[in-house]
Amino acid sequence: MKKVIVGLSGGVDSAVAVILLKKAGYDVEGLFMRNWDSSLNQDILGNPNDPNDICPQEKDYLDALNVSKQLGIKLHRIDFVEEYWNNVFMYFLDEYKNNRTPNPDIICNKEIKFKAFLNKALELGSDYIAMGHYARSIHTPEFYYYEV
């Protein structure tokens, strides 16, 4: 049975990807990406307008954990804080200092979602990776996927 690692955010799109892949007969595991560390990055004030008791990233993880339990799959929580800081955030700051308007989402997709994520999925023995969105896709009658 081929193994697929799904980028599991806790949202509907990635949950549907898991359901479709399981239905198609794949061995599916989830991977939650932790890309920011407020205390490590000295972001100690956080968002003063956010009334939640926990940060949004931790809430997303708890959502992903709940989804993985409901769908009966293993969930990996992987820390890409250093990669995000070095490859995405510093790029943003450098571009901004040079009076350019960078789009950090594009760099994040390239460096984190599809580079660091893919490398970790391969370490976990994955044959394929899947996301709920933001992927070059190959269409089959059942779903879209990114082939490794």
Side-chain angles (χ1 to χ4, degrees), residues 83-108 110-111:
E83 292 89 341
Y84 186 88
W85 180 269
N86 292 334
N87 298 324
V88 179
F89 192 66
M90 291 306 297
Y91 163 81
F92 173 82
L93 293 178
D94 290 342
E95 288 295 295
Y96 197 72
K97 285 178 193 174
N98 289 312
N99 297 316
R100 291 188 282 268
T101 308
N103 184 338
D105 291 340
I106 292 171
I107 301 301
C108 183
K110 178 183 173 196
E111 295 294 328

Side-chain angles (χ1 to χ4, degrees), residues 5 9 12 42 86 112 125 145:
I5 300 289
S9 66
V12 173
Q42 299 177 2
N86 292 334
I112 307 302
Y145 66 93

Side-chain angles (χ1 to χ4, degrees), residues 106-140:
I106 292 171
I107 301 301
C108 183
N109 286 344
K110 178 183 173 196
E111 295 294 328
I112 307 302
K113 286 185 180 179
F114 296 111
K115 183 177 179 184
F117 182 95
L118 175 61
N119 290 337
K120 182 52 74 174
L122 292 172
E123 284 179 30
L124 295 169
S126 182
D127 296 295
Y128 305 101
I129 64 170
M131 303 279 179
H133 51 86
Y134 300 121
R136 179 181 65 180
S137 60
I138 299 168
H139 181 261
T140 70

